[in-house]
Amino acid sequence: MQRRSFLSRLSLAAAMSGLTAMALAHTPYRFWDVFRKRNMVILTSHQDYTGDDIGDLWVATLRQNLPLSRALVSRTQDLGRMASLLKTDQVKLAVLSHEHARQMFAGDAPFESFKPLELQILVDNGKYLLVTRPDVPLYHGYLVTRGLMDSAASLQLTDPGTGRHGMVIHPGALAFYKGEKIDPPPPPPDK
């Protein structure tokens, strides 16, 4: 009797460890990490349809002007989820209205739980901003800004000047606006 009980517990433990291994093997998080490193993911939100349409337009422009960026839109259900993904560094770029960007940056309602949410500006169309986390490399910020500003007239983009709502211009974008040229970083050494 004890042998049967032992064997049943042993088989249950083996089955559970197999299920755990299968669950870990099929988790999307590792894939997401690789995916966002290979593709330029720009967040928009279903809560803001105008921003979502602008994100589609900006991504189409980036795909044309910077095809190797593999730019694409990722849509969140609401702006709270967008703030969460930016705060936890799961995404680097987002399209936000001036008001939503100001609220997120300042930690005003409904984003007070994400304070401080450091955001920097890449481009501005007068109503919407392409914002980024400050840890985006200098050259990447420069390339994205250049890729969009090459079509500034059709996209109705303007130079954001010194920033908006307390947010500063990303250093790479600022270099573009000042007419400076930034060279790409050297490739990593072979191992």
Side-chain angles (χ1 to χ4, degrees), residues 41-73:
V41 179
I42 297 178
L43 276 183
T44 64
S45 175
H46 285 297
Q47 192 173 342
D48 182 355
Y49 290 122
T50 303
D52 192 40
D53 291 341
I54 289 170
D56 285 336
L57 183 60
W58 289 354
V59 162
T61 303
L62 286 169
R63 289 179 77 85
Q64 180 181 348
N65 294 345
L66 295 173
L68 294 179
S69 71
R70 294 188 291 274
L72 56 93
V73 170

Side-chain angles (χ1 to χ4, degrees), residues 108-120:
D108 291 345
F111 306 109
E112 53 276 282
S113 62
F114 301 105
K115 187 176 182 179
L117 186 54
E118 294 182 51
L119 298 173
Q120 294 180 345

Side-chain angles (χ1 to χ4, degrees), residues 12 15 28 49 53 75 112 117 133-134 142 174 183:
L12 177 62
Y49 290 122
D53 291 341
R75 293 169 178 85
E112 53 276 282
L117 186 54
R133 291 179 46 88
Y142 175 83
L174 190 59
D183 294 321

Side-chain angles (χ1 to χ4, degrees), residues 33-103:
D33 193 41
V34 170
F35 181 81
R36 70 186 175 97
K37 287 179 181 173
R38 290 187 175 199
N39 301 282
M40 182 191 305
V41 179
I42 297 178
L43 276 183
T44 64
S45 175
H46 285 297
Q47 192 173 342
D48 182 355
Y49 290 122
T50 303
D52 192 40
D53 291 341
I54 289 170
D56 285 336
L57 183 60
W58 289 354
V59 162
T61 303
L62 286 169
R63 289 179 77 85
Q64 180 181 348
N65 294 345
L66 295 173
L68 294 179
S69 71
R70 294 188 291 274
L72 56 93
V73 170
S74 181
R75 293 169 178 85
T76 62
Q77 184 175 355
D78 57 48
L79 291 162
R81 180 68 179 143
M82 182 186 283
S84 174
L85 291 170
L86 285 165
K87 178 74 174 180
T88 58
D89 196 21
Q90 294 181 56
V91 175
K92 304 277 189 195
L93 303 166
V95 176
L96 291 170
S97 70
H98 278 236
E99 183 60 18
H100 291 138
R102 184 198 63 73
Q103 290 171 334

Side-chain angles (χ1 to χ4, degrees), residues 152-174:
S154 64
L155 297 176
Q156 300 173 344
L157 297 175
T158 60
D159 182 337
T162 59
R164 302 272 188 269
H165 316 296
M167 291 178 281
V168 298
I169 309 300
H170 183 275
L174 190 59

